[in-house]
Amino acid sequence: QVQLVESGGGLVQAGGSLRLSCAASGSIVSIDTMGWYRQGLGKQRELVASITSGHSTNYLDSVKGRFTISRDNAKNTVYLQMNSLKPEDTAVYICNANRVLFTAGTRYIYNDYWGQGTQVTVSS
């Protein structure tokens, strides 16, 4: 099986920066798209940023110019650099790995995976 482990959340003042990391482990052959979602209290989950294996990126409009997503394919790790943070960025940030190809014995299997989430709190 595959696991996603996130790190880097915390409490920061408005205007500050945080860097989130998410490492995928297991018998992974490849990962198509990796991304970060967030869910604020009482709000729906939304896609913050995503990146393909070819490093094409996509961002939520409200974070463009402030957040940067990147990945290390060799380490199966995705990062989210968050600058100029605002109180409205406060949420649980959840890592996603889409179309993960992994081996299970002699089989090759595709599946999607989610991390446990890491809290980001931005104080005003």
Side-chain angles (χ1 to χ4, degrees):
Q1 281 290 350
V2 173
Q3 287 188 323
L4 302 183
V5 178
E6 299 138 329
S7 61
L11 173 64
V12 65
Q13 287 189 333
S17 298
L18 283 174
R19 188 187 193 218
L20 306 183
S21 299
C22 172
S25 63
S27 301
I28 297 169
V29 176
S30 64
I31 303 175
D32 187 344
T33 301
M34 300 187 80
W36 290 94
Y37 288 71
R38 69 186 182 189
Q39 188 161 15
L41 195 61
K43 298 181 179 180
Q44 287 190 328
R45 185 175 294 189
E46 60 183 358
L47 175 63
V48 177
S50 64
I51 184 167
T52 68
S53 57
H55 300 279
S56 294
T57 58
N58 180 51
Y59 292 95
L60 182 68
D61 282 347
S62 62
V63 308
K64 286 180 180 177
R66 300 188 297 122
F67 291 10
T68 302
I69 191 169
S70 60
R71 69 187 277 180
D72 184 331
N73 288 335
K75 295 181 179 179
N76 292 319
T77 300
V78 63
Y79 307 95
L80 185 67
Q81 177 66 44
M82 304 184 293
N83 299 328
S84 302
L85 282 160
K86 304 175 180 180
E88 51 264 43
D89 295 318
T90 294
V92 175
Y93 284 70
I94 307 155
C95 177
N96 171 259
N98 180 254
R99 281 184 61 80
V100 179
L101 179 62
F102 65 98
T103 59
T106 59
R107 296 181 299 161
Y108 285 81
I109 301 172
Y110 278 104
N111 208 348
D112 300 337
Y113 291 92
W114 294 89
Q116 291 296 312
T118 184
Q119 178 70 44
V120 171
T121 303
V122 185
S123 63
S124 57

